[in-house]
Amino acid sequence: GGPSQAIEDGGEVQADGYRWSQTEEEVEMKFSVAQGTKAKYVKVNFGRKSLKVTAAGQTLVHGETGGEVAVDECTYTIQDDREGGRELCVTL
């Protein structure tokens, strides 16, 4: 199947500059960031119906969400990715 099949299976979908996956409870977005990126360089603005993610002054995503977000349950982390780089993982 296409993207809808991947979403139903909880698999990752490649989007413009990031990967994302969705379950019934949450959406997870993963952005590749520079090797030396630390949490203090990242700013994530969670809104009830919007999201803005910046890293080192560069906007990675900014726009409306597909539905309403429980802002107090949103988190983000920076971790090593599979290729030996770094990735920013945002959970809505």
Side-chain angles (χ1 to χ4, degrees):
S4 61
Q5 185 67 39
I7 294 167
E8 289 169 18
D9 294 344
E12 287 188 343
V13 178
Q14 189 72 39
D16 188 24
Y18 59 93
R19 299 184 320 275
W20 66 276
S21 59
Q22 181 175 351
T23 65
E24 285 190 35
E25 291 85 32
E26 66 185 27
V27 174
E28 185 176 77
M29 304 171 74
K30 293 180 179 176
F31 303 86
S32 291
V33 292
Q35 184 63 41
T37 302
K38 294 180 172 34
K40 66 182 177 182
Y41 304 138
V42 174
K43 186 171 185 181
V44 182
N45 292 94
F46 297 105
R48 281 188 333 113
K49 294 190 175 187
S50 65
L51 173 69
K52 183 176 183 182
V53 179
T54 55
Q58 180 182 3
T59 300
L60 303 178
V61 71
H62 185 198
E64 301 279 314
T65 58
E68 212 162 287
V69 174
V71 175
D72 57 345
E73 296 176 13
C74 297
T75 62
Y76 67 93
T77 58
I78 295 178
Q79 58 202 26
D80 293 329
D81 69 17
R82 290 178 229 135
E83 288 81 42
R86 301 283 279 165
E87 70 183 5
L88 168 62
C89 182
V90 178
T91 305
L92 307 175

